Amino acid sequence: MEICQQILEKIKEYDTIIIHRHMKPDPDALGSQVGLKALLTHHFPEKTIKAVGFNEPTLTWMAEMDTVQDSDYQGALAIICDTANRPRIDDKRYEQAAFTIKIDHHPNDDIYGDLSWVDTSSSSASEMIALFAQENQLTLSSEAARLLYAGIVGDTGRFLYPSTSARTFRIASQLREIDFDFAGLSRQMDTMSFKIAKLQGYVYDHLEVDENGAARVLLTQDILKKYKVTDAETAAIVGAPGRIDTVKAWAIFVEQADGHFRVRMRSKITPINEIAKRHDGGGHPLASGANSYSLEENEQIYKELKEALQIHQG
Ligand code: AMP
């Protein structure tokens, strides 16, 4: 693939490479970012290669971020992984880099970067990084393989979602050939704390489902406090409503400290990303995120979700 070679040529040109990803990182954001860092560090030990962004406490078992000075950006290459739109890039200093590259698998709603590789047929940005290595015949270290595998597992719901392709399995299989603690990683990704298990119980108890399978639940600040969970930790229960047979699409409204709501939306078949786009968000057709600024807007989003399913049924 020509784009993979073009990206490698750019990487060769720069002494300093700073790798970014989206805010509120998930395993794919970190897997692609730090997996790429591990790959490049292995092959270009003479270069300064850093991963930048907020250190998400629930994901430090995957990787920790580097300290990056403003001066590091002078004449540097910035690579942004897994981030569809500029406002969601963690750390705005990418703008100060001499050259920027976007590597992403979300719909290309915001075209940015001096060079851009967007592949919506990829299950995950981590799959793309593994492909990049393969296309350029760059071997992956054990650490890179662990991170990329974790990213793929994260974004496919462990090979459950329709974005899981034959290529995803092929790449996962190739990563599995590399020696890393596969059992430990799998256990880590399948484990939840007792408080999350209880929050999941709350979600099942309070889920509202209409006759077409549109579901919603509200997690207020009080509930988050009661269960002692952070906004980031709600990631662990986002898929839970989908395990119910009658649920076709769902929205989890998570109240934020400033009073607005992060809306985590998922669907089994009917696309929901247009709804997310209308409410300060976006994402994949079947996995999107939005922001709501009032209880009325919450109602409106649920109404749109119900209508989308109604149209799909009819
Ligand atoms: P989440 O519910 O946060 O896991 O997000 C699900 C998907 O929607 C991810 O692929 C995100 O990249 C995307 N997404 C979430 N929030 C936003 C947003 N505010 N703007 C654009 N895309 C988003």
Side-chain angles (χ1 to χ4, degrees):
M1 225 188 298
E2 207 188 317
I3 185 72
C4 291
Q5 274 108 49
Q6 284 174 4
I7 292 174
L8 184 62
E9 284 316 308
K10 278 290 158 197
I11 288 167
K12 285 180 181 165
E13 277 178 35
Y14 291 86
D15 294 332
T16 302
I17 299 159
I18 305 171
I19 311 173
H20 294 241
R21 40 75 188 160
H22 62 77
M23 297 165 168
K24 298 189 175 177
D26 53 21
D28 185 38
L30 284 178
S32 55
Q33 177 194 32
V34 191
L36 177 61
K37 180 190 156 186
L39 173 73
L40 298 183
T41 307
H42 183 69
H43 289 278
F44 302 100
E46 71 287 0
K47 293 185 191 292
T48 302
I49 302 166
K50 293 186 172 183
V52 70
F54 172 70
N55 245 328
E56 171 51 48
T58 58
L59 291 173
T60 46
W61 58 269
M62 279 190 77
E64 298 207 26
M65 297 294 103
D66 300 307
T67 305
V68 179
Q69 312 294 343
D70 289 357
S71 55
D72 291 335
Y73 282 90
Q74 259 176 24
L77 168 66
I79 303 179
I80 299 122
C81 296
D82 197 37
T83 314
N85 47 353
R86 278 168 280 194
R88 291 196 83 224
I89 300 174
D90 193 345
D91 206 323
K92 298 295 163 241
R93 291 179 295 172
Y94 76 91
E95 290 169 348
Q96 294 165 26
F99 198 89
T100 51
I101 301 177
K102 175 186 188 182
I103 301 179
D104 187 34
H105 70 124
H106 298 91
N108 205 4
D109 292 328
D110 180 11
I111 299 163
Y112 68 83
D114 299 305
L115 191 60
S116 159
W117 178 28
V118 173
D119 178 12
T120 52
S121 73
S122 254
S123 70
S124 50
S126 298
E127 179 177 326
M128 294 176 74
I129 300 299
L131 195 64
F132 165 80
Q134 205 178 71
E135 291 281 316
N136 286 303
Q137 280 136 26
L138 299 173
T139 50
L140 287 160
S141 64
S142 160
E143 182 59 359
R146 180 184 82 90
L147 290 159
L148 296 176
Y149 187 85
I152 293 172
V153 167
D155 252 32
T156 59
R158 192 169 292 172
F159 310 108
L160 180 69
Y161 307 144
S163 59
T164 310
S165 67
R167 189 180 78 186
T168 313
F169 281 119
R170 230 171 10 247
I171 286 178
S173 158
Q174 285 155 1
L175 294 172
R176 182 69 179 93
E177 300 262 359
I178 301 164
D179 184 29
F180 65 91
D181 182 10
F182 174 78
L185 176 72
S186 300
R187 216 177 303 113
Q188 173 81 47
M189 296 194 80
D190 193 40
T191 299
M192 63 172 123
S193 60
F194 205 12
K195 65 181 186 179
I196 293 295
K198 287 179 178 167
L199 180 71
Q200 188 162 305
Y202 177 90
V203 168
Y204 284 137
D205 254 356
H206 293 82
L207 199 68
E208 176 185 342
V209 191
D210 85 342
E211 65 283 7
N212 295 317
R216 70 168 164 184
V217 68
L218 171 65
L219 301 178
T220 61
Q221 281 281 303
D222 282 349
I223 289 298
L224 296 183
K225 278 185 200 127
K226 180 174 168 196
Y227 288 90
K228 298 189 175 63
V229 294
T230 62
D231 170 60
E233 286 173 313
T234 62
I237 52 87
V238 176
R243 304 194 68 196
I244 301 171
D245 55 359
T246 54
V247 171
K248 302 285 187 278
W250 60 103
I252 300 179
F253 296 85
V254 187
E255 189 184 15
Q256 306 292 300
D258 68 0
H260 97 276
F261 301 87
R262 172 186 191 175
V263 192
R264 316 191 76 155
M265 300 170 69
R266 299 292 187 272
S267 175
K268 289 179 182 168
I269 298 168
T270 308
I272 37 95
N273 56 335
E274 291 303 322
I275 303 174
K277 275 198 237 170
R278 285 195 289 273
H279 297 276
D280 191 21
H284 304 277
L286 304 181
S288 298
N291 289 287
S292 159
Y293 298 94
S294 65
L295 289 171
E296 290 72 33
E297 194 172 358
N298 287 357
E299 289 301 321
Q300 177 62 26
I301 291 171
Y302 185 50
K303 185 165 164 260
E304 289 177 32
L305 193 67
K306 291 206 282 192
E307 284 167 359
L309 287 184
Q310 220 167 17
I311 292 164
H312 207 85
Q313 308 280 326

